[in-house]
Amino acid sequence: MRLSQFHLATVKEIPADAEIVSHKLMLRAGMIRKLAAGIYTWAPLGLRVLRKVEAVVREEMNRAGAIEVLMPSIQPRELWEETGRWEKFGGQLLKIKDRKESEFCFGPTHEEVITDFARAELNSYKQLPINFYQIQTKFRDEIRPRFGVMRAREFLMKDAYSFHLGEECLGKEYWNMYNAYSRIFTRLGLGFRAVEADTGAIGGNASHEFHVLAESGEDAIAFSTGSEYAANVEMAEAVAPSAERPAATATLERVDTPTQRTIDEVSAFLGVDATHCIKTILVRGTDGLVALCVRGDHEVNEIKAGKLPELPGDSQLADEAEIVRVLGCRPGFIGPAGLPDSIPVIVDRSAAAVANFVCGGNQDGTHFRGANWERDARITRVADIRKVVDGDASPDGKGQIRIGRGIEVGHVFQLGTKYAEALQATVLDNDGKKKVMHMGCYGIGVSRIVAAAIEQNFDASGICWPEPMAPWRVAICLINPKNDAAVIDAATSLYDELTARGIEVVMDDRGLRPGPMFADMELIGIPHRVVVSERGLAAGTFEYRARRDADSRQLSREEVLALFA
Amino acid sequence: MRLSQFHLATVKEIPADAEIVSHKLMLRAGMIRKLAAGIYTWAPLGLRVLRKVEAVVREEMNRAGAIEVLMPSIQPRELWEETGRWEKFGGQLLKIKDRKESEFCFGPTHEEVITDFARAELNSYKQLPINFYQIQTKFRDEIRPRFGVMRAREFLMKDAYSFHLGEECLGKEYWNMYNAYSRIFTRLGLGFRAVEADTGAIGGNASHEFHVLAESGEDAIAFSTGSEYAANVEMAEAVAPSAERPAATATLERVDTPTQRTIDEVSAFLGVDATHCIKTILVRGTDGLVALCVRGDHEVNEIKAGKLPELPGDSQLADEAEIVRVLGCRPGFIGPAGLPDSIPVIVDRSAAAVANFVCGGNQDGTHFRGANWERDARITRVADIRKVVDGDASPDGKGQIRIGRGIEVGHVFQLGTKYAEALQATVLDNDGKKKVMHMGCYGIGVSRIVAAAIEQNFDASGICWPEPMAPWRVAICLINPKNDAAVIDAATSLYDELTARGIEVVMDDRGLRPGPMFADMELIGIPHRVVVSERGLAAGTFEYRARRDADSRQLSREEVLALFA
């Protein structure tokens, strides 16, 4: 592509509402242009990148055996009422009336439509398993659309839906999709993790979110330094310390801590590390109060605690009045030693491995020092009830946990029979009996990937595209082309040679001065830059610089070509 | 593709609302499935064809220098108010309110959005000319959606919009697009014509519709047997006969035609061919009645007549009372000979070339025989006021006119400054002066092409795809594959060889009996069928049949491969 034949419109001024790097850079590079809140036109440069993502997604979905379809944007209300989601989906569902006052929505997702398609098209187990996908425009009426295409209202998504006779078959396809997704993000050149996610209210056996790792990510994720392990930080397992609990050697001793209530205050006051303090909180269980104990440097994970048999799912902290009534002391002075027998004591795995610890004295203004489990404090149950922290052992035994941030760009999910049941999508099994199909669903935010890739790959000069996503791999920059036929000839010859090798090249023949031209090529993130100038030609060289290199190098034509051999 | 890994679901029963062949065959072949009135899911088979059309359109648009963008479906009301189309567009515009009660529409076309984009992105004449296109989903809320994807509400369209400093430049791009469209339809293997269309109220210098020729087409078009000439039948010029008018040899004679009023009745009664009768109708002109004379075998073209200086654009026929009052006779007996001088006589070119003709006698129950122009009947003006008919000379002098029917699948149009003016889309010209840009717009109905191709290419067994649009070019049909490893081996080897040559092949390995298998392959229109059977292998042959062939042939492997060399 000759840039003089393209429409590149980089800009200096960007609107104040562009908060994150990818949004700013996409506007500066002229990749997108806002039409309305959360609604963008993909300008030619942006679309080139979007199409590259789309192509990789399509190839890998096809390779995985999924079959492409194209479902409508506009979906009838009646279908959404069959699953109850016309009401339940909430304000994100853009509702529409046509000229006959029939009601429709602009599809934010396609479970209803594909299940309706499947109940009509599939009638025998012999047609299963099958996985239909599409790459299609969706609309979600976000309350606060922002971050450009990262949280847009109209966006491009790949959504796939698989159908199965039973759970086992669904499980197989689930991992097939998991592997396809891994290939997709690997091929796009992105740093990512497949993160175990909470299956939430929908249930199902497994759910993974695929996150592009980036500091600006909205989601905290825990991942291993030594393996593929990764999980939503709320989901990640905090494993038991490998070392046994040391012997109880210290004597239990009540000490005065008149104004010291927090772990920081107590540990500083008594000169004891937080790792040797026990933090105790009281929550309302299903049958009276329950004590949760974690190490002083840890935090209780409410989602994990909510799964304890002693607690309701939405357990609340006990309030001060309640604590004073039951224990006679205020929060900040609670400890597991000497609690009434009516209160179960749930101890985190790490907390349970501490000996000779400091904890609240269950009397205002006092703590215990030298306390020990069993001897001084009951343990009703040891459980994983804390949030993981940086440096924890990875649950798979390989490496350590790091807490990072991620941008969710994909999600694989075992839906089970939820939608097939509601729409009565059945097939006849081997015995001629009607069976409700099991379903999986698998989404990728195609347009969001473009923004996520930038969040992960940029510097002060602009975008640094991973090669597979770059609008072009190579930029050939012509110095003074309007007055120098030799420059044009040499550049054209190089362009033709690279193009013939299947390399996508852009030739900047706009006649800009070197400064603005290089700034543009850096801003739009072209991975390789080759400068053709009169001086270089006289010396028989081209100036080459990779986007992430600090310096340029003088290379012969053969050396340049060898970079793309 | 192995058909066992695909989702092919041909059906026997089709809904009664499928009126036309393409709709019926697309449903029977399982290409589409209806979700709601005028809203369809593209099943895997249909989507394969749709994507082929899309790919050819994209390649040729790129080759023509147009630059791809992707604009949103959802467009804000404010923008449509700037051009006045929020109200004027009418009921086809699907209006939407979001959760904040802001108003939007689902774009039925994108003049507003692209002009808004252009006014922001383009500011100098140096950026012109430029042509932006997209392939994108549109919605038009048709009152009566029907004919499947032929007149759907949600559909896929390629729309392009070009921007220019002036008319001349616009004209160049117009013909560039005209040629690109011609290449597109040629490459798709379709019989088509570029038809001169009325530019109507919008004005502009030129407008062509591209029609796929098919008997079921909604539009009548006139085209030449000897050239590329084609025009909307209402627009096609009826040229003057090449022969001079013969001499006036007969004597004017009034004859009784007591009950004969129509040309058919008069010509039969008097034994004179309709080509030697003159039909006269009286219409209301801008200044009293006007007579329009055409040959007995011709019809007045109201659109052409409407452009005469003597007539208003919406001229009405004179009613019987008016005629009786002015001429003293009833319609059916009117003729140009002896009309009052106040009535201009407009004579069609062909009618003007007739001598010694029969015409009305301007007295009830009589006609003239042996009438002649000039001698007996005034001519105020000779003009082209008739509809063309089969057999007319082509206006470009090459070949004869045929009247056929067409399906509009593309439209190129010079918009001029209409939208750019309304949205104040200006650039600075060479002198630094603001200039409103000139625009062209160029549409292709991508999804409609699929249906139109079927209307043009089918037989009693199903679809007969042109090769470039076929879901696969070759079907390899396996007889009894489940029990015959040799059949599978031979088929796989052929499949691999053809695939390696870049031929798209489908292998029907479903294990169906030959009858239903062949019926499926014929229904879905695969251009080439190769049957692999035990008997064939024993004889060293494959049974080959082209989709349009009456009979099959036994070919060796080399002969089969040679078909696709």
Side-chain angles (χ1 to χ4, degrees):
Chain A
M1 173 65 72
R2 280 160 173 76
L3 215 43
S4 59
Q5 307 297 310
F6 192 71
H7 175 69
L8 178 67
T10 58
V11 289
K12 292 222 163 48
E13 302 298 321
I14 50 162
D17 70 353
E19 299 169 50
I20 60 171
V21 163
S22 61
H23 190 188
K24 288 177 189 169
L25 288 176
M26 288 180 78
L27 290 171
R28 281 188 53 206
M31 292 178 63
I32 53 171
R33 183 168 281 278
K34 183 173 166 179
L35 177 63
I39 300 177
Y40 291 87
T41 290
W42 287 82
L45 184 73
L47 187 62
R48 283 188 73 92
V49 178
L50 187 68
R51 293 280 188 237
K52 285 189 192 291
V53 177
E54 192 182 326
V56 169
V57 170
R58 179 173 285 117
E59 278 178 31
E60 292 300 335
M61 290 302 290
N62 290 345
R63 186 193 310 263
I67 304 173
E68 192 172 5
V69 298
L70 182 61
M71 292 180 268
S73 297
I74 299 293
Q75 311 180 0
R77 170 180 179 151
E78 294 70 34
L79 200 52
W80 281 71
E81 283 190 332
E82 288 192 58
T83 61
R85 291 210 294 181
W86 182 258
E87 294 304 332
K88 266 192 260 171
F89 202 89
Q92 286 199 337
L93 192 67
L94 186 69
K95 294 177 177 175
I96 301 171
K97 281 186 189 165
D98 74 0
R99 67 196 296 159
K100 291 176 180 159
E101 297 286 310
S102 300
E103 290 191 89
F104 294 85
C105 65
F106 194 127
T109 180
H110 280 69
E111 280 84 2
E112 279 78 5
V113 176
I114 195 68
T115 311
D116 175 61
F117 181 78
R119 71 178 163 184
E121 296 266 329
L122 307 175
N123 41 55
S124 160
Y125 73 98
K126 290 180 189 168
Q127 294 172 285
L128 305 186
I130 197 159
N131 188 344
F132 296 114
Y133 81 97
Q134 64 173 352
I135 298 176
Q136 190 256 9
T137 300
K138 306 224 178 310
F139 197 94
R140 291 187 190 166
D141 201 358
E142 299 282 349
I143 293 186
R144 201 183 149 209
R146 56 191 169 143
F147 302 154
V149 298
M150 189 79 89
R151 189 170 293 273
R153 294 201 287 176
E154 188 171 327
F155 57 98
L156 192 65
M157 188 167 162
K158 188 285 297 173
D159 45 330
Y161 308 88
S162 66
F163 295 87
H164 311 269
L165 202 57
E167 269 183 35
E168 192 185 337
C169 179
L170 167 56
K172 258 193 208 165
E173 182 62 12
Y174 178 86
W175 291 108
N176 179 38
M177 282 293 104
Y178 179 102
N179 292 330
Y181 276 36
S182 299
R183 287 198 303 272
I184 287 167
F185 297 114
T186 301
R187 274 188 61 186
L188 290 173
L190 295 172
F192 73 98
R193 290 282 173 148
V195 172
E196 284 178 17
D198 194 353
T199 50
I202 305 182
N205 290 328
S207 172
H208 281 85
E209 294 170 358
F210 285 76
H211 284 257
V212 166
L213 301 177
E215 279 172 31
S216 62
E218 284 193 296
D219 299 302
I221 59 177
F223 61 92
S224 168
T225 55
S227 73
E228 292 294 298
Y229 176 81
N232 189 304
V233 80
E234 302 292 347
M235 285 283 296
E237 185 184 356
V239 296
S242 51
E244 290 278 297
R245 181 166 69 215
T249 50
T251 311
L252 181 71
E253 166 190 19
R254 188 182 296 275
V255 293
D256 283 342
T257 50
T259 58
Q260 290 71 35
R261 302 171 57 140
T262 68
I263 291 291
D264 282 354
E265 288 162 354
V266 171
S267 88
F269 184 71
L270 298 180
V272 174
D273 196 80
T275 56
H276 282 77
C277 299
I278 296 297
K279 187 190 293 181
T280 306
I281 65 168
L282 283 185
V283 296
R284 294 181 192 138
T286 43
D287 184 24
L289 293 181
V290 175
L292 304 177
C293 296
V294 296
R295 233 166 59 182
D297 57 330
H298 290 154
E299 299 286 337
V300 169
N301 178 319
E302 289 168 24
I303 291 173
K304 291 179 181 176
K307 291 176 180 163
L308 290 169
E310 290 84 358
L311 297 192
D314 56 346
S315 172
Q316 304 286 317
L317 280 178
D319 64 24
E320 183 162 336
E322 228 168 340
I323 294 170
V324 169
R325 193 174 66 238
V326 175
L327 298 187
C329 72
R330 283 174 299 152
F333 300 104
I334 312 171
L339 280 180
D341 285 352
S342 63
I343 299 181
V345 180
I346 315 294
V347 183
D348 180 66
R349 291 162 170 175
S350 298
V354 182
N356 309 312
F357 53 79
V358 165
C359 64
N362 297 321
Q363 281 180 17
D364 280 351
T366 72
H367 274 76
F368 284 120
R369 200 207 301 256
N372 279 283
W373 296 113
E374 316 292 353
R375 189 190 75 182
D376 310 315
R378 261 183 309 116
I379 293 182
T380 308
R381 174 198 301 281
V382 173
D384 172 19
I385 58 170
R386 71 168 172 96
K387 293 179 182 166
V388 290
V389 294
D390 225 85
D392 276 346
S394 177
D396 64 0
K398 298 172 195 158
Q400 288 190 331
I401 289 291
R402 287 276 170 278
I403 307 292
R405 301 201 73 80
I407 300 165
E408 187 188 338
V409 289
H411 198 166
V412 292
F413 208 98
Q414 298 191 19
L415 287 172
T417 56
K418 180 183 159 80
Y419 293 95
E421 185 79 48
L423 276 80
Q424 276 303 298
T426 60
V427 291
L428 297 180
D429 71 8
N430 205 2
D431 300 325
K433 284 192 191 131
K434 267 194 188 175
K435 286 277 167 67
V436 172
M437 290 185 277
H438 287 248
M439 287 175 63
C441 76
Y442 319 95
I444 287 183
V446 177
S447 41
R448 177 178 259 210
I449 285 175
V450 177
I454 296 174
E455 292 291 335
Q456 191 179 68
N457 300 281
F458 69 93
D459 65 14
S461 304
I463 303 166
C464 306
W465 289 116
E467 301 221 2
M469 292 182 66
W472 299 277
R473 280 184 70 195
V474 183
I476 299 179
C477 294
L478 282 65
I479 307 291
N480 197 17
K482 285 176 187 167
N483 299 310
D484 202 328
V487 164
I488 294 179
D489 287 350
T492 304
S493 154
L494 190 62
Y495 176 90
D496 290 344
E497 178 74 33
L498 287 170
T499 303
R501 296 183 183 195
I503 312 285
E504 286 190 313
V505 187
V506 66
M507 192 150 93
D508 194 342
D509 58 347
R510 293 174 298 167
L512 265 57
R513 285 173 297 114
M517 175 162 57
F518 296 168
D520 269 359
M521 292 304 103
E522 284 170 20
L523 174 59
I524 72 173
I526 308 305
H528 305 277
R529 186 184 78 197
V530 180
V531 181
V532 185
S533 67
E534 190 187 6
R535 201 167 61 180
L537 292 179
T541 60
F542 299 95
E543 183 191 289
Y544 168 80
R545 184 169 164 194
R547 177 64 182 84
R548 292 177 188 269
D549 285 353
D551 299 303
S552 57
R553 292 180 278 160
Q554 297 297 327
L555 299 183
S556 70
R557 190 172 188 276
E558 286 60 41
E559 286 169 325
V560 170
L561 291 172
L563 293 172
F564 307 98
Chain B
M1 174 66 69
R2 280 159 172 77
L3 215 42
S4 59
Q5 308 296 309
F6 192 71
H7 174 69
L8 179 66
T10 58
V11 289
K12 293 223 160 51
E13 302 299 321
I14 49 163
D17 70 353
E19 300 169 49
I20 61 171
V21 162
S22 60
H23 190 188
K24 288 177 188 168
L25 287 177
M26 287 180 79
L27 290 172
R28 281 187 53 205
M31 292 178 63
I32 53 171
R33 183 167 281 278
K34 182 173 166 181
L35 177 62
I39 300 178
Y40 292 87
T41 290
W42 288 81
L45 186 73
L47 187 62
R48 282 188 73 92
V49 179
L50 187 68
R51 292 281 187 236
K52 285 187 194 293
V53 177
E54 191 182 327
V56 170
V57 170
R58 179 172 286 116
E59 277 178 32
E60 292 301 336
M61 289 302 290
N62 289 344
R63 187 193 309 263
I67 304 173
E68 192 172 4
V69 298
L70 181 60
M71 291 180 269
S73 298
I74 298 294
Q75 310 180 0
R77 171 180 178 150
E78 293 70 32
L79 200 52
W80 281 70
E81 283 190 333
E82 289 191 57
T83 61
R85 290 210 295 179
W86 182 258
E87 294 305 330
K88 267 192 259 171
F89 203 88
Q92 285 199 337
L93 193 66
L94 186 68
K95 294 178 178 176
I96 300 171
K97 279 185 189 167
D98 74 0
R99 66 195 299 160
K100 291 176 179 159
E101 298 286 309
S102 300
E103 289 191 90
F104 294 85
C105 65
F106 194 127
T109 179
H110 279 69
E111 280 84 3
E112 279 78 3
V113 176
I114 196 69
T115 311
D116 176 60
F117 181 79
R119 72 178 161 184
E121 297 266 329
L122 307 176
N123 42 55
S124 160
Y125 73 98
K126 291 182 188 167
Q127 294 172 287
L128 305 185
I130 196 158
N131 189 344
F132 296 114
Y133 80 97
Q134 64 173 351
I135 298 176
Q136 191 256 11
T137 300
K138 305 224 179 308
F139 196 95
R140 290 187 190 167
D141 201 359
E142 298 282 351
I143 293 185
R144 200 183 151 209
R146 57 190 170 143
F147 303 155
V149 299
M150 189 78 90
R151 189 170 293 274
R153 294 200 286 175
E154 187 171 327
F155 57 97
L156 193 65
M157 187 167 164
K158 189 284 298 172
D159 45 328
Y161 308 88
S162 67
F163 295 87
H164 310 270
L165 201 57
E167 269 182 35
E168 191 185 336
C169 179
L170 166 57
K172 258 194 207 165
E173 181 63 13
Y174 179 87
W175 290 106
N176 180 37
M177 283 293 104
Y178 179 101
N179 292 331
Y181 277 36
S182 298
R183 288 197 304 272
I184 287 167
F185 298 115
T186 302
R187 275 188 59 185
L188 290 173
L190 295 172
F192 73 97
R193 290 282 173 147
V195 172
E196 284 178 18
D198 194 352
T199 49
I202 305 182
N205 289 328
S207 171
H208 281 86
E209 294 169 358
F210 285 77
H211 284 257
V212 166
L213 301 177
E215 279 171 30
S216 61
E218 284 193 296
D219 299 302
I221 59 177
F223 61 93
S224 168
T225 55
S227 73
E228 293 293 300
Y229 176 81
N232 189 306
V233 81
E234 301 292 346
M235 286 283 294
E237 184 183 356
V239 295
S242 52
E244 291 278 298
R245 181 167 69 217
T249 51
T251 312
L252 184 70
E253 165 190 20
R254 189 181 295 273
V255 292
D256 284 339
T257 50
T259 60
Q260 289 73 33
R261 303 171 57 141
T262 68
I263 290 291
D264 282 355
E265 288 162 354
V266 172
S267 88
F269 184 72
L270 300 180
V272 175
D273 195 81
T275 56
H276 283 77
C277 298
I278 296 297
K279 187 190 297 181
T280 307
I281 64 169
L282 283 185
V283 296
R284 296 184 190 137
T286 42
D287 183 25
L289 293 183
V290 175
L292 303 176
C293 297
V294 296
R295 233 168 55 184
D297 56 332
H298 291 156
E299 298 287 338
V300 169
N301 177 320
E302 289 169 23
I303 291 173
K304 291 179 180 176
K307 292 178 180 162
L308 290 170
E310 289 83 359
L311 296 193
D314 56 346
S315 172
Q316 305 286 317
L317 280 178
D319 64 24
E320 183 161 336
E322 228 168 341
I323 294 169
V324 169
R325 191 176 65 238
V326 176
L327 299 186
C329 73
R330 284 174 298 153
F333 300 104
I334 313 170
L339 279 179
D341 286 350
S342 64
I343 298 181
V345 180
I346 315 295
V347 183
D348 180 66
R349 292 163 169 174
S350 298
V354 181
N356 309 312
F357 53 80
V358 166
C359 63
N362 298 320
Q363 281 181 18
D364 281 350
T366 72
H367 275 76
F368 285 120
R369 201 209 300 259
N372 279 283
W373 296 114
E374 317 292 354
R375 189 191 74 183
D376 311 315
R378 262 184 307 117
I379 293 182
T380 308
R381 176 199 299 283
V382 173
D384 172 19
I385 57 169
R386 71 167 172 98
K387 294 180 182 166
V388 290
V389 294
D390 226 85
D392 275 346
S394 177
D396 63 2
K398 299 172 193 158
Q400 289 190 331
I401 289 290
R402 287 278 171 277
I403 309 291
R405 303 201 71 80
I407 300 165
E408 187 190 339
V409 289
H411 198 166
V412 293
F413 208 97
Q414 298 190 19
L415 286 172
T417 55
K418 179 182 160 83
Y419 293 95
E421 186 78 49
L423 276 82
Q424 276 303 297
T426 60
V427 291
L428 296 181
D429 71 6
N430 204 3
D431 300 325
K433 285 192 190 132
K434 267 193 188 179
K435 286 278 167 69
V436 171
M437 290 185 277
H438 286 248
M439 287 174 62
C441 74
Y442 319 94
I444 286 183
V446 177
S447 42
R448 176 178 260 210
I449 285 174
V450 177
I454 296 174
E455 292 292 335
Q456 190 180 69
N457 299 280
F458 69 94
D459 64 14
S461 304
I463 304 165
C464 306
W465 289 117
E467 301 220 3
M469 289 182 65
W472 299 277
R473 281 184 69 196
V474 183
I476 299 180
C477 294
L478 283 65
I479 306 293
N480 197 17
K482 286 176 188 167
N483 300 310
D484 203 329
V487 164
I488 294 179
D489 287 350
T492 304
S493 154
L494 190 62
Y495 176 90
D496 290 344
E497 178 75 32
L498 286 170
T499 303
R501 295 182 183 196
I503 311 285
E504 286 190 314
V505 187
V506 66
M507 191 151 94
D508 194 342
D509 57 348
R510 294 174 298 167
L512 264 57
R513 285 173 298 112
M517 174 162 59
F518 296 167
D520 269 359
M521 292 305 102
E522 284 170 19
L523 175 59
I524 71 172
I526 309 303
H528 305 276
R529 186 183 79 196
V530 180
V531 181
V532 185
S533 67
E534 190 186 5
R535 202 167 60 181
L537 291 179
T541 60
F542 299 94
E543 184 192 290
Y544 167 81
R545 184 170 164 193
R547 177 64 182 83
R548 291 177 190 270
D549 285 354
D551 298 303
S552 57
R553 291 181 279 159
Q554 297 298 326
L555 299 183
S556 70
R557 189 171 188 280
E558 286 61 41
E559 286 169 326
V560 170
L561 291 173
L563 293 172
F564 306 99

